Amino acid sequence: MNDEEARANDEQARADGQEARSVREFWQALGLPGLIDVHTHFMPKNVLDKVWAYFDAAGPLVNRPWPITYREAEEQRVQRLRDFGVRAFTSMLYPHKPGMAGWLNAWAAEFAARTPDCLHTATFFPEPEAAGYVARAIEDGARVFKAHLQVGGYDPTDARLDEVWGLLADTGTPVVTHCGSGPMPGKFTGPGPIGAVLDRHPGLVLVVAHLGMPEYRDFLDLAERHPAVRLDTTIAFTDFAEADVPFPREELPRLRGLGERVLLGSDFPNIPYRYVHQLEALAGLGLGEEWLRAVCHDNAAALFGLS
């Protein structure tokens, strides 16, 4: 390593240390024991490499430059969340074709077994085997599921998923779902298709990723109609999101009113800015410390039964 590389490494280490201190100071000032992040991504390396390559190429579902801030090895990413004081996080992963969900679930179960602060995560796809492997995942301890209607390109009302949604509803297992039409609309995104699922399974603990951006108002409506629905904050209110799809500030009182059903999400590591920026963006809304405590920790602690 030459002197220039050594200086760059030292500067990066200082920046990393400062960010970890800033994140910890944020939750400590709120009197919290740490953060709970319901929307973080851990996947098999070959899958994550392809996801990062898609972001690097600004693929059509992204449609804009999207640099990955935390492009690190798995163990470094886990340690970074621990350094931030994230008490619990998820391994959001998702299939884009049949025959993929089963082995993703096997990987996620193994990852959760060796990563005790990860909430055991699973996923599914509309295929004849879905109900069987979802039932097995729940029996094996899955705490949360991920559904990505944009990447998967599937209709959530597909008959092959009816038993899946029913299992999740009956067991009270949350499912974090990318059902909004950001950053680019899909054939089955928006409040209509997933709203039909909720009409059929009103007890489903659906966590709407990204606050449903850009259809913020529609998903606030959905949450107000269905008491089991939650919203996660992933990317919302950051400079990156506000540049293209700003949250309508006149809707902030409704968001405050749903304060017990809003959860911290970040999209770590696949974010084009520092982790602390998501926290600063939430604090900048001016919704108060009680709201921040609930969003950043207490709501998820209650949902997942964490002490």
Side-chain angles (χ1 to χ4, degrees):
M1 181 184 299
N2 59 39
D3 290 345
E4 185 175 340
E5 290 172 333
R7 283 194 296 272
N9 287 343
D10 288 344
E11 290 174 6
Q12 185 62 56
R14 283 194 293 272
D16 290 346
Q18 180 55 54
E19 182 183 27
R21 287 190 293 274
S22 296
V23 172
R24 286 181 168 273
E25 287 168 1
F26 173 87
W27 54 260
Q28 287 168 348
L30 293 171
L32 292 173
L35 302 171
I36 300 175
D37 190 335
V38 304
H39 197 135
T40 62
H41 293 282
F42 289 88
M43 307 175 182
K45 184 178 184 303
N46 63 319
V47 177
L48 189 59
D49 286 346
K50 291 178 181 177
V51 171
W52 285 348
Y54 192 90
F55 278 104
D56 291 343
L61 295 182
V62 176
N63 201 36
R64 65 187 292 190
W66 195 304
I68 305 296
T69 299
Y70 301 100
R71 194 188 300 263
E72 301 167 323
E74 180 184 284
E75 61 272 16
Q76 291 175 288
R77 285 179 275 123
V78 170
Q79 187 58 51
R80 189 179 289 276
L81 289 176
R82 291 170 177 165
D83 290 344
F84 289 162
V86 179
R87 295 185 59 216
F89 52 90
T90 58
S91 58
M92 296 281 106
L93 68 183
Y94 42 84
H96 61 272
K97 60 184 179 181
M100 189 175 178
W103 67 265
L104 285 176
N105 288 349
W107 181 91
E110 188 274 332
F111 177 75
R114 59 184 165 85
T115 314
D117 32 0
C118 177
L119 295 165
H120 182 172
T121 309
T123 189
F124 53 85
F125 195 81
E127 52 194 339
E129 305 85 2
Y133 61 64
V134 165
R136 285 193 298 275
I138 294 171
E139 290 170 3
D140 290 343
R143 309 280 299 280
V144 61
F145 280 71
K146 168 70 172 184
H148 205 312
L149 305 187
Q150 184 197 48
V151 170
Y154 59 83
D155 185 348
T157 66
D158 189 307
R160 293 170 295 182
L161 291 179
D162 197 48
E163 189 175 350
V164 168
W165 297 121
L167 281 166
L168 295 172
D170 291 345
T171 57
T173 307
V175 53
V176 177
T177 306
H178 187 127
C179 45
S181 298
M184 292 293 288
K187 187 176 180 180
F188 301 106
T189 59
I194 200 66
V197 172
L198 287 166
D199 290 339
R200 194 177 303 170
H201 303 281
L204 181 67
V205 184
L206 181 82
V207 182
V208 177
H210 309 284
L211 294 179
M213 71 171 64
E215 295 108 334
Y216 298 113
R217 289 188 179 91
D218 294 328
F219 282 101
L220 288 170
D221 291 343
L222 202 69
E224 288 171 346
R225 289 201 305 273
H226 295 278
V229 168
R230 272 77 167 173
L231 306 164
D232 88 28
T233 65
T234 304
I235 298 182
F237 309 111
T238 64
D239 293 345
F240 187 76
E242 291 289 291
D244 283 352
V245 284
F247 184 91
R249 289 312 192 257
E250 64 272 18
E251 300 293 352
L252 284 177
R254 296 176 73 195
L255 193 66
R256 187 202 298 269
L258 290 166
E260 292 183 354
R261 290 193 276 138
V262 181
L263 308 171
L264 173 66
S266 68
D267 239 354
F268 175 92
N270 305 335
I271 46 177
Y273 44 78
R274 285 283 178 173
Y275 189 94
V276 70
H277 179 51
Q278 178 76 76
L279 305 176
E280 293 168 343
L282 294 175
L285 299 176
L287 297 181
E289 290 191 356
E290 182 178 355
W291 186 85
L292 283 174
R293 280 191 289 271
V295 170
C296 293
H297 180 273
D298 295 349
N299 293 342
L303 180 61
F304 293 106
L306 304 176
S307 60

